[in-house]
Each structure stands twice: as structure tokens, then as C-alpha cells.
Amino acid sequence: KNFNPNEAIDLDQPEPPEMKLPAAMTRESVQQGVGYLIQNDDRFKHVVQLIGPPTGILELLDKERPDPFTTLVQTICHQQLSMRVCQGMFERLLGVCGNRESKVLDPERVAAASPDTIRQVAKLSYRKIEYIQKIAENFIDGTLNDKVFEETSDDALRQQMMRLPGIGEWT
């Protein structure tokens, strides 16, 4: 069956056969998933024929995983502010509580820094400072760590993250 862009998308298509989901995304699992979609979804197959397979995800898999604490802090810093303003705030925060060269924050330094110092240097709001220091405490006490982000299911991780201050459904 050929793809017709004027045809409405049928949202009530029968469920495809069960496919075991991998525990972690790998090159092999991405290739299997793309192959499965090409075989079972004519629209996806058509898109791949037009623009080629999604190779960007494979490039991301080759990169070193970002530090989860630093990523969460960046996410909170960027909430409701422009990217340019937030990048400056984050760079200044790195100068106080992390390493500007590696662009990684140290949870212990974030937790130990006075809110007034962070506010004065990084220009973050006291509310955001409260959020990032609470998250730092979770990394220090082991509630959060690299293993949690690697091994916890998406749903369980989402629930755990949403219990943190400053993290909501859209974060």
C-alpha cells in the first residue's frame, strides 16, 4: 500500500505483534526498531524512502552520556527564560560550583554554596537555587545517581523526578 498524504491517519489500526523492548538503547536496538517500523508502517517506510533513515540518533549513541545532575540543573535554569540568558547563568554557576572546562557541576559544591553567593554570581532566582540545591542533596545522599538513570524504567524515573522540586510533567 502506498502512502497518500491526503488520506486521514487511521488512529484505530490494529496493534502490531508484541516486540520485546530493550533495556537500553543501542545501535542494534535502534536498527531493529527502524526495521520493524519500515516493515509494519507504510507511512514510516515512505518517510524513510523520502529522507533516509534516522541517523542522528545513532550519532547521539556514540557520544558520552551527559552528567545527570548537570543536565537536571541546566533544565531548571532554562525554565521560562531565553536560551541565551540561561547559558550565561549556567556558565557563571559552573564558575562557582563546577568545572567550566568540562561543563560539569559538583553536587557537593552546589549544596554547600550559599544561596546569596549563587544569586549574586549566577543571577538565579532564590526559588531555582532552592530547587537545584535540593536536587544536589539527592545526588549526595545517593537517592539519585548515574545507576538510577541507566537502570530505572522510563515510567519509574519520571515518577521519581516529578517528586523533586522544580521538576514537572513538561520538564
Side-chain angles (χ1 to χ4, degrees):
K1 176 179 168 183
N2 287 332
F3 177 75
N4 179 351
N6 297 321
E7 185 179 306
I9 296 173
D10 180 9
L11 299 177
D12 296 321
Q13 292 181 3
E15 288 289 317
E18 287 286 323
M19 187 172 154
K20 185 174 171 64
L21 295 176
M25 190 181 305
T26 63
R27 285 176 125 0
E28 182 180 276
S29 70
V30 169
Q31 289 169 340
Q32 286 175 344
V34 168
Y36 176 86
L37 287 170
I38 288 171
Q39 289 177 353
N40 293 287
D41 187 324
D42 290 334
R43 293 173 300 237
F44 186 82
K45 182 178 181 178
H46 179 74
V47 170
V48 170
Q49 288 170 340
L50 288 174
I51 64 172
T55 57
I57 191 74
L58 296 176
E59 292 169 11
L60 284 175
L61 288 172
D62 290 338
K63 291 184 176 183
E64 188 177 316
R65 291 192 185 263
D67 174 65
F69 174 67
T70 302
T71 301
L72 282 172
V73 171
Q74 279 184 303
T75 301
I76 289 172
C77 287
H78 284 77
Q79 290 171 345
Q80 301 176 343
L81 295 172
S82 78
M83 186 69 103
R84 196 169 127 204
V85 168
C86 293
Q87 194 57 41
M89 291 175 155
F90 181 72
E91 290 290 331
R92 291 187 297 270
L93 183 62
L94 282 169
V96 175
C97 303
N99 182 320
R100 279 190 171 159
E101 192 172 311
S102 66
K103 299 207 180 294
V104 174
L105 289 168
D106 179 350
E108 293 198 15
R109 288 175 62 190
V110 169
S114 81
D116 290 332
T117 299
I118 295 174
R119 170 81 177 146
Q120 182 179 11
V121 174
K123 308 295 187 221
L124 288 168
S125 70
Y126 283 108
R127 177 65 55 115
K128 287 186 180 190
I129 295 166
E130 177 186 336
Y131 294 163
I132 66 173
Q133 287 186 318
K134 182 66 176 167
I135 291 170
E137 291 169 12
N138 278 263
F139 275 86
I140 292 166
D141 71 17
T143 303
L144 294 175
N145 56 47
D146 290 355
K147 187 176 177 182
V148 169
F149 287 88
E150 293 290 329
E151 297 178 4
T152 306
S153 73
D154 288 350
D155 286 336
L157 186 60
R158 186 176 298 107
Q159 289 174 5
Q160 187 173 357
M161 293 295 99
M162 287 182 51
R163 288 193 292 264
L164 296 170
I167 305 289
E169 186 175 335
W170 298 105
T171 309

